[in-house]
Amino acid sequence: MSTLQTLKTFISQRLAVALEEISGLLETTISNYEEEISHQRRLLSNERSGSQIHTADMQQAFKFRVVIHHEIKKITFQNGLPSSVEDLIKVFKQAFTITTEIGLQYKDTDFDDFFTLTSTSDLKDKDTLKVVHIPPGLLKSTVSQEHNHDTSDMSPVDDLPSVDSQDPVIPSPPATDRRNLWPAVFPIPVFSYNTEMALQQGNDIFLKDGTLLTSQSVKSDILERLAEAMFSYTAYPNDPQRTAVAHALIERHPCLREPGSYNGCDGWQQSLKYKCANYRSKLKAHGNPELMINTLKHKQEGDRKPAKNVKKPRKSEVNYYPPHPAGETDDSLENTRLELISASKSRDNSQMMNDMMSRTYSCRRREVVGQSMQVAQFYERWPALFNPVQINEEFRRCNTIPLESTFMSQLDRFTSKFLQLFSSKGGAVGQRMKGFMTELRQDQHVSVVKKRDVILRCLIEYLGESVPELISDYYRTAETKVHQDLQAESMRIYVCQQPDAVGIIIDGTPVMTDLDNLPKACCLLLGLTYALNLDYPPKLAKTFEVFQRLFVGLDMLQPKQTSKFISLKNKLFT
C-alpha cells in the first residue's frame, strides 16, 4: 500500500506542476493576444483617420481651365479627382466627347510651361490642363499605368463633371464620314453564326492534328465580311493593307492557313484583292460618290480609261471623297457656301461658321478632287477656309485627328534627339546646320518656338533637301514686295524680319498671312496640302514624308517608306 500511496502522491505533484505551467502559458498567450488586438485597433484607427483626411481632400471641388485645339473650356469636379491619370483621361473623353486617344499636360507654375501629367496629386484647383491627341499606332502612352486601381473613383455618366456650356464646340463629323484611321492591327470582324461555329471546330481540329479547314462556303462568307470591314477604313486598300488583313485572319484562325504558301496567307491576299473590287462594284450601283468618280462616265474626255487618273487617297486620307450629309443637295450646299462668304466678314460667329464648314466639307472635296480647281479660284470661293482654325478643322474632317497639337507635340517629343543627330552631322551639310544652331548654343534659355524653327530648318538639310526650296527669308522688305517676288513659286513659306511677317504662298497666291512663326506655317502648309488635295513638292518629298508619317502619324503603308525616313526613324527610336 505504501508503494501505491507514493505513486499517487508523485502523480498528484506532477499534475499540479503541469497545471501551473499550463495556466502560466495560457495567461501569457491571452496577454499577448490582448496586446496584439490593441495594436491592430490602433492601426485601424490611424488608417481610418488617414482615410477620412484623404477622402476629405479627394472630395474637394476642383476647377480646371482646359485647352483643346484652339478652344478654352472649363471643367469642374464637385466630388474630388479620380485616383489615377488613366481614370481622369476617361472622364475628359466622356465630358468633351473625344473619340481619339489623348494625353494630359498641366501648366507648371515654376517653369511656366506644360508638362506631361503622370499623377493627379500634381494638380491644384484652377490649374490649366492641355489635351494632347496621340496619333494612332505611333505614340505609346506616357501616362503611368497604375495596377489594381479602384474604378469606383470614376464618375458615372449621370454624374460627369460640369462643362461650361458657353464654350464653342466643334461639331462632330456627319454620320456618313469615316471615323477611324487604318488600325495598326486589323480587327477581324465576327462572321455569321454558321461560319463562327465552323471556325471554332476547325481551330480545335487544327490544334490537335494540324488539319486545315477548306470549306468554300466558309471562305465566301469570310471574304464578304472582310471586304465590308476594310471599306469602313478605305475604299481602295493597297497590297500591304490586304496582306496585313490576311495575316491578322490566320493569326486569329490558324485553321485557315494555306498549304504551300510561303507565309500561309498569300492566297487570302489575292482573294481579298478581287473581293474588294467586287464589293466596290456593288456599291457603285448605289451611287457611292467615292467610287462613281472613277467610272468612265464621270472621267474627263482624255482620261476615259479604267486605270488612268484614278482618284483615291494617296496620303492616308480617311474621308477623301465623302457623300453629302443626309438631306443636303448641291443646291442647298451652294446656298450655304454663299452664306459662309457673308459670315466670314463678321466676327463672333465661330460656332455658326464651324457648323456650315462641316456641312459643306463634301462640297469642297468635289471641287478640289473631282474638278481639280485652281488654288486662286478655290480661294475666292471659300475664303472662310484659309485661317488657322479652319485649316486645323479641315484636317480633322479629312483625317479624324487634330493637326497642330499633334504636329507640335511630336516635334517637341523628338527635340533632344534631333539636336543630337544634327550636332553629330559632318561635312557641308553639318556646317550649314551648325549655322542654324548657333543661336541655340549662345542662349541656353531660347524659346520653344525658336527651337522648333531651328530643328525644322536643320531637318530639311539633314534629309538632303534645301531650305530655300521651302522657306524664303527676307529682311526689311515689305510684305507686298515679297508677294510679288514669289508669284512664280508653286509652294513657299516666307519669313520677314523688320517688319515681322510669316505667310504661305501656293501657286503664286498668298493663301495665308499674319501667321505667328515658321513652325506653325510648316504645320498649316501640311494641312493645306490635304485641304486642297495637293501633291508634295518633288524637291521636298522627304521633308513632307517626315511631316506626314512622323509628326502626324499618317501612314497607309504605301508607297514604301524611303531609306532616309527609315534611317531617321531608327535613330530617333533607338
Side-chain angles (χ1 to χ4, degrees):
M1 289 295 294
S2 61
T3 303
L4 182 60
Q5 187 67 32
T6 303
L7 180 60
K8 288 182 177 180
T9 303
F10 175 77
I11 292 174
S12 299
Q13 291 174 349
R14 296 301 300 170
L15 287 174
V17 171
L19 183 59
E20 290 179 1
E21 291 178 353
I22 292 172
S23 298
L25 288 172
L26 184 60
E27 289 177 359
T28 303
T29 302
I30 293 174
S31 177
N32 292 339
Y33 181 73
E34 289 177 346
E35 289 182 3
E36 181 64 23
I37 291 295
S38 177
H39 177 66
Q40 292 295 334
R41 284 175 176 170
R42 287 195 300 271
L43 290 177
L44 183 60
S45 177
N46 292 337
E47 287 181 0
R48 285 177 176 173
S49 299
S51 176
Q52 290 174 356
I53 294 172
H54 178 70
T55 302
D57 290 340
M58 291 301 291
Q59 290 181 348
Q60 173 190 350
F62 284 84
K63 293 181 181 179
F64 296 115
R65 177 176 178 265
V66 183
V67 180
I68 305 178
H69 302 172
H70 299 277
E71 299 178 1
I72 306 296
K73 298 176 180 288
K74 184 175 72 173
I75 188 170
T76 302
F77 292 81
Q78 296 291 355
N79 300 319
L81 296 175
S83 59
S84 69
V85 175
E86 193 175 35
D87 290 342
L88 184 63
I89 288 175
K90 291 179 182 178
V91 175
F92 268 66
K93 292 176 73 172
Q94 286 182 329
F96 296 112
T97 320
I98 299 173
T99 57
T100 57
E101 292 303 316
I102 63 171
L104 293 176
Q105 296 179 348
Y106 70 99
K107 192 165 188 178
D108 186 85
T109 53
D110 295 332
F111 293 92
D112 194 30
D113 203 354
F114 285 95
F115 289 82
T116 301
L117 181 65
T118 58
S119 173
T120 55
S121 62
D122 295 331
L123 298 177
K124 301 184 295 294
D125 186 32
K126 297 184 180 179
D127 270 353
T128 297
L129 295 176
K130 178 192 266 187
V131 173
V132 179
H133 290 259
I134 303 175
L138 183 61
L139 276 178
K140 294 182 179 179
S141 175
T142 55
V143 179
S144 61
Q145 301 294 326
E146 299 185 20
H147 299 286
N148 301 323
H149 59 273
D150 185 1
T151 57
S152 64
D153 290 333
M154 280 291 295
S155 301
V157 174
D158 295 335
D159 190 29
L160 282 173
S162 61
V163 180
D164 191 347
S165 61
Q166 299 301 317
D167 292 328
V169 178
I170 301 297
S172 300
T176 52
D177 288 0
R178 293 189 176 94
R179 299 298 185 96
N180 299 305
L181 295 167
W182 184 271
V185 178
F186 192 86
I188 299 301
V190 177
F191 305 112
S192 68
Y193 179 77
N194 291 339
T195 300
E196 285 292 337
M197 291 294 292
L199 287 173
Q200 182 179 350
Q201 186 177 23
N203 288 331
D204 292 340
I205 296 174
F206 176 81
L207 293 176
K208 288 180 181 179
D209 55 24
T211 302
L212 299 172
L213 180 64
T214 56
S215 169
Q216 280 302 118
S217 60
V218 169
K219 183 175 182 179
S220 178
D221 182 52
I222 289 173
L223 290 174
E224 186 73 25
R225 288 290 293 114
L226 288 178
E228 182 181 347
M230 293 164 71
F231 192 86
S232 68
Y233 295 102
T234 176
Y236 295 94
N238 54 41
D239 286 343
Q241 289 172 330
R242 289 192 296 269
T243 300
V245 174
H247 272 294
L249 177 65
I250 64 171
E251 285 291 326
R252 177 80 173 272
H253 302 293
C255 66
L256 297 176
R257 294 182 66 88
E258 294 177 327
S261 174
Y262 75 97
N263 59 3
C265 64
D266 186 56
W268 281 107
Q269 191 269 342
Q270 292 297 322
S271 297
L272 283 171
K273 178 178 180 179
Y274 295 112
K275 193 62 180 181
C276 288
N278 292 337
Y279 189 75
R280 287 195 295 269
S281 297
K282 292 180 181 179
L283 292 182
K284 284 179 185 178
H286 299 288
N288 185 290
E290 191 173 10
L291 306 176
M292 294 298 293
I293 192 175
N294 289 317
T295 58
L296 298 181
K297 179 181 178 181
H298 290 79
K299 287 189 175 184
Q300 297 180 0
E301 288 290 340
D303 295 336
R304 289 183 177 173
K305 295 180 181 179
K308 188 173 182 181
N309 195 22
V310 176
K311 298 182 184 296
K312 61 182 181 180
R314 303 187 189 279
K315 302 196 296 288
S316 300
E317 297 94 336
V318 177
N319 293 301
Y320 182 69
Y321 200 84
H324 289 326
E328 298 286 359
T329 64
D330 289 342
D331 292 338
S332 66
L333 292 177
E334 176 63 17
N335 292 333
T336 304
R337 184 189 71 82
L338 296 175
E339 293 174 10
L340 259 172
I341 295 177
S342 300
S344 63
K345 298 176 182 178
S346 58
R347 299 180 180 180
D348 301 328
N349 57 358
S350 59
Q351 178 64 46
M352 180 179 68
M353 286 187 59
N354 285 328
D355 179 62
M356 289 192 290
M357 289 294 288
S358 182
R359 274 190 289 143
T360 54
Y361 172 68
S362 59
C363 191
R364 289 190 296 280
R365 297 308 290 179
R366 278 157 175 70
E367 293 183 4
V368 297
V369 176
Q371 303 174 24
S372 300
M373 188 174 290
Q374 295 295 316
V375 173
Q377 183 183 0
F378 189 79
Y379 182 81
E380 291 180 0
R381 288 178 56 80
W382 301 95
L385 175 65
F386 294 88
N387 71 73
V389 172
Q390 286 305 324
I391 290 298
N392 274 276
E393 284 307 306
E394 194 79 347
F395 189 86
R396 185 187 64 84
R397 297 178 192 112
C398 185
N399 300 299
T400 75
I401 60 175
L403 171 61
E404 193 170 340
S405 59
T406 307
F407 187 100
M408 296 304 176
S409 64
Q410 282 292 86
L411 179 58
D412 294 342
R413 179 193 180 200
F414 295 111
T415 292
S416 58
K417 281 281 190 178
F418 275 133
L419 293 177
Q420 291 176 13
L421 289 176
F422 300 156
S423 299
S424 62
K425 186 70 174 179
V429 173
Q431 290 298 319
R432 289 196 293 272
M433 289 194 295
K434 286 178 182 177
F436 293 134
M437 291 191 292
T438 300
E439 187 173 347
L440 298 186
R441 292 193 182 95
Q442 293 174 349
D443 185 3
Q444 296 295 324
H445 303 287
V446 69
S447 67
V448 173
V449 172
K450 185 60 181 177
K451 280 186 180 179
R452 294 170 178 169
D453 185 306
V454 171
I455 287 171
L456 289 171
R457 292 174 185 266
C458 290
L459 176 63
I460 297 171
E461 295 289 343
Y462 185 84
L463 294 171
E465 296 174 339
S466 175
V467 171
E469 289 290 340
L470 179 63
I471 305 165
S472 294
D473 291 290
Y474 290 87
Y475 183 69
R476 289 185 177 178
T477 305
E479 196 170 9
T480 53
K481 177 65 167 60
V482 173
H483 293 170
Q484 294 175 2
D485 289 346
L486 300 177
Q487 281 183 347
E489 300 298 334
S490 60
M491 191 176 293
R492 190 65 57 90
I493 296 172
Y494 63 85
V495 180
C496 302
Q497 296 182 9
Q498 298 185 10
D500 295 342
V502 180
I504 298 174
I505 301 286
I506 296 180
D507 289 345
T509 303
V511 293
M512 298 191 77
T513 58
D514 298 325
L515 302 180
D516 297 331
N517 49 67
L518 173 65
K520 186 170 186 175
C522 289
C523 173
L524 293 175
L525 179 58
L526 176 66
L528 283 166
T529 64
Y530 281 85
L532 304 178
N533 194 39
L534 301 175
D535 293 331
Y536 295 147
K539 294 182 179 180
L540 293 166
K542 298 182 183 69
T543 298
F544 277 89
E545 180 183 15
V546 174
F547 288 178
Q548 175 192 320
R549 284 177 158 155
L550 183 64
F551 290 167
V552 295
L554 293 176
D555 190 354
M556 61 189 299
L557 309 179
Q558 197 176 55
K560 293 182 178 179
Q561 298 174 352
T562 61
S563 58
K564 279 279 187 182
F565 178 78
I566 294 173
S567 175
L568 174 65
K569 188 173 68 171
N570 290 339
K571 291 175 181 177
L572 291 175
F573 284 93
T574 300

